[in-house]
Amino acid sequence: MHAVLKDLLVVELGTMVTAPLAGMMLSDMGARVIKVEHPETGDPFRGHGGGNYSPPFVAYNRGKESIQIDLRDAAGLANLSLLLARADVVIENFRPGVMERMGLDNARLRTINPRLIRASITGFGATGPYRSRPAYDSVPLALSGMASLLLDPADPRMSGPTIADNITGMFAVQGVLGALLRRGACGTGGHVEVNMLEAAIAFIPDAFAQYTRAGVISTPETRIRISQAYTLIAADGLMVTVHLSSVRKFWEGLLEAIGRPEMADDERFATPAARIRNYPLLRDILGGVFVTRSRAEWIERLAAAEVPAAPVHTVDQVQDDPQVAHLGTFTRSTHPAMGEVVGIKSPITFDGARLDRLAPPPELGADNAAIAAEFGFPALPAA
């Protein structure tokens, strides 16, 4: 990707996932991101698993500079104000009211820098009965209805990756880019607000359309029935995922691949509606077929029949996939103290190009002296 945000200065006051992901995404587009961290602990994600350079921290903080500023005292806030005076964007994921208690409400920020864009990320929004409650990923997943599409009510167990956190960070970036466009037209900054609850709701519009238009309350199986998606176990115990949608040629291609052309005339499966209705039965039939060949054989047969399908990779297998290797999705950088860091490139390209060399995440306070000198801090943060 070309550095389309090359001249943008972002000050990140965030911790954990939502704001750090937003900052990292802007960095991936060329922005300079200065991460302001607590003088003693830094971002709490640093310490997950010991030390101050944990895998969760590394995942969300590449390409940034780190400075330690104590936002609890006047000197620290004065130093932050010097950063904000020259910044284009400040990203924070404090609870509602924290910025205001620090004396950095919107009116004050406009005084410091009329062009500054403030991006606030909260759990539930700035107002309402839940505004002051703490929120981590699983909480908005539950409130938004998304968890009901993932959990087995008979044996409910949270599983899988961070979803609401990441969605919210991405929506925040969308808001920042929109605010930058507006600033280009009118010359002034503004306040972008995103909350995790609404971000999670916005991520599943199909489930709400099913309810409001058709009266269907979605379950974990609703979408996969409609999409005709199947995960099946091959003879070698490995998994294959097939996604047919409602396209007739994919259904016919599947029957060709499994050698069961007669099923095209079976009234139980003859139409998309029939296949949706009889999904459990069709899944059982396909399950009985797929255990007769290895996964590699099925992938070859399905590809030959042009059926959308893929092996279910474990995380350690993804980098070796031929398409992933061809795309150059992963990149490696070397931190002088922490060694090799594997990063994931932004999936966005501009005119066929993207940033291929990603700077590793910074150590805590790594840029204290340089930033203090550049911005003229009257008090140098303690390293």
Side-chain angles (χ1 to χ4, degrees), residues 186-221:
C186 69
T188 58
H191 189 190
V192 174
E193 297 180 83
V194 181
N195 69 76
M196 297 171 69
L197 173 56
E198 288 186 305
I201 292 171
F203 194 68
I204 52 171
D206 53 337
F208 289 100
Q210 288 290 342
Y211 175 63
T212 58
R213 299 293 297 172
V216 173
I217 300 174
S218 294
T219 70
E221 200 171 80

Side-chain angles (χ1 to χ4, degrees), residues 280-300:
L281 177 59
L282 182 53
R283 180 180 56 198
D284 288 344
I285 292 172
L286 294 175
V289 174
F290 270 70
V291 294
T292 63
R293 296 179 185 271
S294 70
R295 181 168 75 180
E297 291 178 277
W298 282 123
I299 294 299
E300 182 178 352

Side-chain angles (χ1 to χ4, degrees), residues 65-116:
E65 300 167 45
S66 170
I67 186 168
Q68 296 161 285
I69 297 180
D70 192 341
L71 300 181
R72 298 167 297 184
D73 64 39
L77 290 173
N79 289 342
L80 175 61
S81 294
L82 291 173
L83 288 179
L84 298 181
R86 290 166 55 181
D88 296 284
V89 179
V90 58
I91 304 174
E92 48 95 1
N93 58 354
F94 298 125
R95 291 196 209 180
V98 172
M99 287 284 283
E100 287 70 19
R101 288 195 293 274
M102 289 193 298
L104 295 172
D105 57 24
N106 287 338
R108 172 61 179 156
L109 292 176
R110 283 193 295 271
T111 300
I112 294 171
N113 181 352
R115 291 175 55 81
L116 182 66

Side-chain angles (χ1 to χ4, degrees), residues 58-292:
V58 167
Y60 295 103
N61 288 283
R62 66 166 173 261
K64 302 176 185 179
E65 300 167 45
S66 170
I67 186 168
Q68 296 161 285
I69 297 180
D70 192 341
L71 300 181
R72 298 167 297 184
D73 64 39
L77 290 173
N79 289 342
L80 175 61
S81 294
L82 291 173
L83 288 179
L84 298 181
R86 290 166 55 181
D88 296 284
V89 179
V90 58
I91 304 174
E92 48 95 1
N93 58 354
F94 298 125
R95 291 196 209 180
V98 172
M99 287 284 283
E100 287 70 19
R101 288 195 293 274
M102 289 193 298
L104 295 172
D105 57 24
N106 287 338
R108 172 61 179 156
L109 292 176
R110 283 193 295 271
T111 300
I112 294 171
N113 181 352
R115 291 175 55 81
L116 182 66
I117 293 166
R118 172 187 175 188
S120 298
I121 301 172
T122 59
F124 309 105
T127 60
Y130 301 166
R131 67 181 297 272
S132 297
R133 293 185 182 181
Y136 288 102
D137 185 75
S138 299
V139 174
L141 283 185
L143 277 175
S144 67
M146 195 188 305
S148 73
L149 309 181
L150 304 170
L151 296 172
D152 178 359
D155 186 19
R157 302 184 186 195
M158 296 301 290
S159 61
T162 302
I163 301 176
D165 279 340
N166 289 12
I167 294 165
T168 306
M170 292 174 182
F171 274 121
V173 170
Q174 180 182 349
V176 166
L177 295 177
L180 287 168
L181 283 173
R182 187 184 70 169
R183 189 182 73 173
C186 69
T188 58
H191 189 190
V192 174
E193 297 180 83
V194 181
N195 69 76
M196 297 171 69
L197 173 56
E198 288 186 305
I201 292 171
F203 194 68
I204 52 171
D206 53 337
F208 289 100
Q210 288 290 342
Y211 175 63
T212 58
R213 299 293 297 172
V216 173
I217 300 174
S218 294
T219 70
E221 200 171 80
T222 302
R223 198 274 305 176
I224 59 170
R225 279 181 179 248
I226 295 171
S227 300
Q228 285 294 286
Y230 300 86
T231 296
L232 305 157
I233 299 175
D236 48 13
L238 302 176
M239 292 183 286
V240 181
T241 285
V242 178
H243 191 125
L244 304 175
S245 188
S246 58
V247 181
R248 182 177 180 83
K249 72 173 183 178
F250 295 149
W251 167 243
E252 293 174 345
L254 175 65
L255 299 185
E256 175 189 341
I258 66 174
R260 298 288 296 272
E262 73 280 1
M263 288 177 63
D265 300 321
D266 191 322
E267 64 179 12
R268 298 172 298 176
F269 314 123
T271 66
R275 292 193 287 275
I276 292 170
R277 185 169 56 252
N278 293 300
Y279 179 91
L281 177 59
L282 182 53
R283 180 180 56 198
D284 288 344
I285 292 172
L286 294 175
V289 174
F290 270 70
V291 294
T292 63

Side-chain angles (χ1 to χ4, degrees), residues 313-330:
H313 287 321
T314 53
V315 172
D316 60 307
Q317 297 168 337
V318 173
Q319 294 184 57
D320 296 327
D321 182 272
Q323 183 64 25
V324 175
H326 166 78
L327 292 171
T329 304
F330 292 84

